[in-house]
Amino acid sequence: MTNFLSVVDVTGLILFLLYVVHQVASALQPRPKPPTASSGAHLTFLIPALNEAPVIGATLENLRAVVPDARVVVIDDASDDGTDRIVARFAAQDSGVTLLRREFPQARQNKGRAMNWAVARLLAGPPLAGSDLSREVFVVLDADGRVGPDFAPQVRGAFADPCVMAAQGWMRFRQTGAPAGRRGLWARMLLFQQDLESFIVGHVQRLRALGGTASLTGNGQCMRASYVAGQLARGVDPWPDVLLEDFASAVEVRLHDPSHRIALLTAHVGQQGLVALGPFVRQRTRWTQGAMQCLTYLPRLWRHPASLLTRLDFSYFILVPWLNVLLLLSILSQPLRRAFGWHGLNLPAWLGVFLTVAPLALQLNWALRYRAERRLSWWAVPYTLASLPIYSAALFLSMPLAYYNHFTGRRVWYKSVRHDDRAPVQSSTAKGEEAGNLASGD
């Protein structure tokens, strides 16, 4: 038992050290200055939508106001709340808006299949059929997504480089949807920490960009239409059929041609956050299981040419859910060790101090940076440090569920329910979030 526990502890220690190196290297990266262009690539926004009546109108208004020369295509996945009727009214008054509706039995399978179906139809008809697809870019936006005036110029600037096949905006969470007063304390903490997490991911993306491959993380991802058409012609889905289709699509971009790049944008893409524990855990369960499904990419990652940084980063992302099993065993075995006198790895005192201080230093670093970026009160720093362990515990809950789903063959597509940002929030509960559907979307 001692040897087994030592292996578990050593693995956990290595994982922790890799995490520290990864976080420090990400924190040291300077803010990038992506190129911008007022003309160039033409943008087509793809909006997968299932029962998005509370938000789809505001999203269409945002896009038509901010990027008026872009096309907007809503992929309705057999909504039954009137989403398609809202989009149809927009389309009747604005030729820049198009509604594509999926019907059963094909509908409500998952987000990736909906987008693959939609781009195949769009590429086969006007105005894309017969056009120069290297100058066309698909932008995937969630139904609650919002972009600012800096987004389109950065997309056009990125795709002026012919080697760029994809790009990713900086996803951020709007601080809306939490009930007022004490009832909303938990919801406000979840929203705050989700945006902090996205803030940190934005810095991790800077590190990834050094290897020419920022990851695709969902809302605000862009793909060159010529690459998408090429994938379809080869019989390869641009968005693979896994629970984390955005990350898998980034891996496919890199594997297809070592000269291909995924650009990093600093423009924010706003979206709603989850405000209740149940939906949050279900969403993160899907993300963790989706990363586990990408394990089959590992041999190809190391066989194909790519920068060492990209290989290491993608491999780390894929392997962490698997290696965390050992980390969980190390944590959960502590009561048994004390009860039965089992022993694992004996750590020197200085290493024990490092293992205690390093996480606190990393958390303080991000808390200070996040406070400065959002221009928050100094009270935001202790609030961040105090609420982070609670948020981490919520993340922890998703791991056993992801393992259970993966090893029992369950593929659960949780689709969160949005709220109307423009309407007053009910102070009772976040019951709308609890009514999530199993279908496409994030």
Side-chain angles (χ1 to χ4, degrees):
M1 181 59 71
T2 297
N3 290 338
F4 172 73
L5 292 176
S6 295
V7 171
V8 169
D9 290 346
V10 168
T11 303
L13 179 60
I14 292 173
L15 278 176
F16 176 76
L17 294 177
L18 287 174
Y19 168 77
V20 170
V21 171
H22 191 251
Q23 292 283 291
V24 171
S26 299
L28 293 175
Q29 300 308 309
R31 183 180 179 87
K33 296 181 179 179
T36 60
S38 58
S39 61
H42 191 272
L43 311 187
T44 298
F45 284 85
L46 305 176
I47 307 178
L50 170 59
N51 293 338
E52 303 288 7
V55 294
I56 192 65
T59 297
L60 292 176
E61 291 170 359
N62 166 254
L63 292 177
R64 299 311 290 149
V66 176
V67 199
D69 57 342
R71 288 184 292 268
V72 180
V73 179
V74 177
I75 311 160
D76 184 80
D77 216 12
S79 296
D80 53 23
D81 71 339
T83 296
D84 56 329
R85 294 192 294 274
I86 295 172
V87 178
R89 286 197 294 270
F90 272 88
Q93 301 171 10
D94 186 345
S95 61
V97 177
T98 301
L99 171 64
L100 296 180
R101 181 171 169 87
R102 282 163 65 81
E103 302 290 351
F104 292 109
Q106 288 78 24
R108 301 195 185 189
Q109 294 178 346
N110 61 56
K111 179 179 175 180
R113 290 184 183 180
M115 291 192 296
N116 291 327
W117 171 85
V119 294
R121 291 194 59 175
L122 292 170
L123 290 168
L128 294 181
S131 65
D132 182 2
L133 295 180
S134 67
R135 295 177 57 82
E136 300 284 343
V137 174
F138 291 122
V139 182
V140 180
L141 198 68
D142 288 350
D144 62 341
R146 306 284 190 276
V147 300
D150 56 342
F151 182 78
Q154 287 193 19
V155 174
R156 294 188 177 106
F159 283 90
D161 182 346
C163 292
V164 170
M165 293 296 127
Q168 177 64 53
W170 193 352
M171 278 194 338
R172 300 300 294 267
F173 289 90
R174 298 194 293 275
Q175 303 297 291
T176 63
R182 279 189 238 175
R183 290 178 179 272
L185 287 176
W186 170 263
R188 288 194 293 275
M189 184 277 293
L190 268 183
L191 289 169
F192 183 92
Q193 287 291 343
Q194 285 170 87
D195 191 56
L196 171 61
E197 185 180 21
S198 289
F199 172 78
I200 297 172
V201 169
H203 287 75
V204 172
Q205 288 275 62
R206 298 177 188 182
L207 178 63
R208 291 168 173 161
L210 291 180
T213 309
S215 184
L216 298 178
T217 57
N219 217 350
Q221 62 179 277
C222 315
M223 280 196 195
R224 197 182 293 272
S226 56
Y227 165 79
V228 172
Q231 289 291 87
L232 291 172
R234 287 185 288 272
V236 179
D237 289 335
W239 289 275
D241 193 20
V242 296
L243 292 171
L244 203 61
E245 77 288 331
D246 39 26
F247 173 76
S249 62
V251 179
E252 289 285 357
V253 169
R254 205 65 175 97
L255 290 176
H256 175 63
D257 188 325
S259 67
H260 287 174
R261 294 180 53 242
I262 300 178
L264 174 61
L265 313 178
T266 59
H268 288 190
V269 180
Q271 67 180 61
Q272 295 180 2
L274 298 175
V275 294
L277 180 61
F280 178 79
V281 170
R282 288 195 289 273
Q283 181 195 67
R284 296 314 173 98
T285 296
R286 178 173 75 83
W287 291 3
T288 301
Q289 186 182 358
M292 296 173 73
Q293 291 176 323
C294 291
L295 185 65
T296 55
Y297 281 118
L298 270 185
R300 293 174 60 196
L301 267 174
W302 288 93
R303 284 199 307 264
H304 285 67
S307 73
L308 179 61
L309 179 59
T310 297
R311 287 173 169 173
L312 290 174
D313 179 72
F314 280 13
S315 298
Y316 176 77
F317 185 88
I318 293 169
L319 287 173
V320 159
W322 298 94
L323 295 175
N324 275 345
V325 174
L326 296 178
L327 187 59
L328 280 172
L329 286 175
S330 179
I331 296 171
L332 297 176
S333 66
Q334 295 303 319
L336 293 176
R337 297 187 197 199
R338 288 191 290 270
F340 294 98
W342 297 340
H343 299 285
L345 183 66
N346 290 318
L347 299 177
W350 67 268
L351 186 54
V353 172
F354 173 78
L355 293 176
T356 302
V357 172
L360 295 175
L362 290 173
Q363 293 166 17
L364 180 60
N365 162 69
W366 294 123
L368 291 170
R369 287 169 176 252
Y370 184 67
R371 186 212 70 83
E373 191 229 32
R374 287 191 56 195
R375 299 180 181 178
L376 301 173
S377 160
W378 281 103
W379 283 107
V381 175
Y383 176 76
T384 301
L385 298 178
S387 59
L388 187 57
I390 304 172
Y391 186 72
S392 299
L395 289 172
F396 177 86
L397 292 175
S398 68
M399 293 171 60
L401 291 173
Y403 300 145
Y404 173 79
N405 288 345
H406 185 77
F407 291 114
T408 57
R410 300 181 71 211
R411 289 169 59 95
V412 180
W413 288 86
Y414 174 73
K415 191 266 176 199
S416 56
V417 175
R418 326 286 187 186
H419 59 269
D420 187 347
D421 289 274
R422 297 174 296 186
V425 177
Q426 298 297 321
S427 62
S428 54
T429 64
K431 60 184 178 182
E433 296 289 354
E434 292 288 358
N437 302 295
L438 301 182
S440 65
D442 286 331

